[in-house]
Structures are given as structure tokens and as C-alpha cells.
Amino acid sequence: YMKKNTESLKWKLCKAYFAIIDNSLNDEVTFEELIIISKVLPKDAEDIISKNNKDYNFFFLKILLSKLDAQTLSEFKIDIAEDTISNTYEKILEGLTLRLESFLPYRKSFKILSHNSNIKVLNFLKLIENNCSFMFNLLDIVEENQNQGIKTLKSLALNIVFVRAINVFLTENGNNLDSTVRNLDKYLRDFEDVGYMLGVIKN
């Protein structure tokens, strides 16, 4: 129960954090603001985040991305369960597009967080890069019983593809994903061509 409660408080604080950034268009968020917006008790909030930790950027991005990724993977699993028509390439593209769609409501915040300094951009990209587990789980859903070594290689390559797409994602506005998905498709095709060449991907 305690773990569940902590997760729920974390998510409340995380939602408050992104709401503040979205409204203030500023990446400076104070502990006091977080308390007021999230309605989490100061003591509980202190247990979750250190009051001295003024840069909440990395902390809350991590929580947000893991939540969005879990939701995306479960949605994707349902989507392709009945799909007997799409090939592996199309399924992977669909999974990555779903992931980008889940980022859309937070695009304004992501831009603000990655705009002010290169370190913040790197933080954001580092989080995405570190998150090979999303790609690994995606591949698990798309191609069952595949060699673990090959799956690891593929997930690393897919991460590189995705990080390149995220750079485009951060330049688009509103709810538009056209340019991002177009580029994602292109990067994915390039990766697929190299994969065939190296024998990592079979026809």
C-alpha cells in the first residue's frame, strides 16, 4: 500500500511540475509552487524530493517518461494483438509513433526544458537514450522469441533513430507530428537497410 501511495504522490507532483512549466513558460519551479499546485503535504513531498534539489528537471522527466512509456506499451500491445496484416516494420513504426503521440501534450514543456541550456537538452536526450527498455519491450511485443543479443542491438539502434526523431519533434508546433513521423519513417528505413546488410534484420 505504501509503495502505491508513494507512486500516486510522485505522479501528483510530476503533473503539477509540468502544469507549472506549461503555464509559466519558465523552467524555474520552486518547492512551494509544487506543494500548492499538487496539494501534496510538504512533509510527503520532502520525502519524495529533496527540498535542496532545485533542479527538478531530470527527476520529473524520468517519472513522466516511465509513466507514458508504460501506457504506450500496453496500448500498443492491444492495438497489434488483432493485427495480422502489418509487417514488422509497420508495427515498429506504429509503436514509435504512439510513443511520440503520448509526448504531444508535454511538447511545450519539453521545449522549455530543452531550450535554456545545452545541458538540459542533453539531459532530455540522455533520458531517452538510457531508456532502451522501451525499445526492448516494443520488440518483445512485435517479435516474440527472438535472440536476446540481436534484440539488444536492435533496441540500441532504434533508440538512436528515436532520438533523431525527437530533435525534429522539438521543432514542430501544436498537435502536428507530420514532419516528425515523416523523418522517423526515413530514419527507420535507413536503419532497416543497414540491418539487412548486417543480417540483423531478416526479410
Side-chain angles (χ1 to χ4, degrees):
Y1 171 76
M2 275 198 64
K3 187 176 186 294
K4 202 170 180 195
N5 195 36
T6 305
E7 289 308 309
S8 144
L9 291 174
K10 259 188 193 175
W11 182 238
K12 271 188 180 174
L13 287 163
C14 183
K15 275 204 305 197
Y17 175 75
F18 284 100
I20 295 164
I21 289 175
D22 223 31
N23 292 322
S24 68
L25 303 181
N26 184 351
D27 65 350
E28 297 300 318
V29 176
T30 66
F31 185 78
E32 286 67 28
E33 282 177 305
L34 275 175
I35 299 302
I36 294 162
I37 302 293
S38 67
K39 298 185 171 63
V40 170
L41 293 172
K43 189 197 169 303
D44 290 339
E46 267 178 36
D47 288 343
I48 290 167
I49 43 176
S50 156
K51 197 170 179 181
N52 307 319
N53 176 12
K54 287 286 177 267
D55 182 16
Y56 302 130
N57 172 254
F58 200 72
F59 181 76
F60 286 119
L61 263 176
K62 217 164 154 181
I63 294 169
L64 179 70
L65 290 179
S66 73
K67 174 109 175 168
L68 294 179
D69 283 351
Q71 287 170 347
T72 300
L73 287 166
S74 67
E75 189 187 330
F76 177 63
K77 203 168 188 171
I78 294 162
D79 278 4
I80 71 159
E82 305 296 315
D83 185 349
T84 52
I85 298 157
S86 303
N87 61 25
T88 300
Y89 179 88
E90 289 160 345
K91 286 175 181 173
I92 289 173
L93 182 62
E94 186 197 337
L96 297 184
T97 305
L98 276 178
R99 191 186 194 195
L100 286 166
E101 282 170 1
S102 79
F103 288 4
L104 261 181
Y106 302 93
R107 172 146 61 191
K108 196 161 77 170
S109 300
F110 288 171
K111 283 185 180 190
I112 293 160
L113 289 175
S114 59
H115 174 70
N116 289 359
S117 72
N118 285 332
I119 294 163
K120 294 219 165 99
V121 180
L122 290 173
N123 258 354
F124 183 58
L125 295 179
K126 204 190 320 169
L127 264 178
I128 298 283
E129 278 169 4
N130 287 347
N131 206 350
C132 264
S133 64
F134 176 87
M135 299 305 173
F136 201 84
N137 292 328
L138 179 85
L139 289 168
D140 253 349
I141 296 168
V142 175
E143 315 169 300
E144 294 167 359
N145 309 322
Q146 191 171 46
N147 174 298
Q148 296 298 300
I150 287 178
K151 204 176 282 180
T152 304
L153 279 176
K154 275 196 198 175
S155 56
L156 286 167
L158 286 177
N159 245 345
I160 294 164
V161 165
F162 194 77
V163 169
R164 288 180 72 192
I166 281 290
N167 278 310
V168 182
F169 174 85
L170 291 172
T171 65
E172 280 194 283
N173 295 310
N175 281 331
N176 192 356
L177 270 180
D178 296 352
S179 180
T180 306
V181 173
R182 205 168 46 247
N183 279 285
L184 175 64
D185 191 17
K186 181 192 174 302
Y187 303 148
L188 206 49
R189 291 219 177 271
D190 294 345
F191 155 64
E192 198 183 33
D193 293 343
V194 173
Y196 285 139
M197 230 164 55
L198 299 175
V200 174
I201 297 176
K202 303 279 186 280
N203 270 313

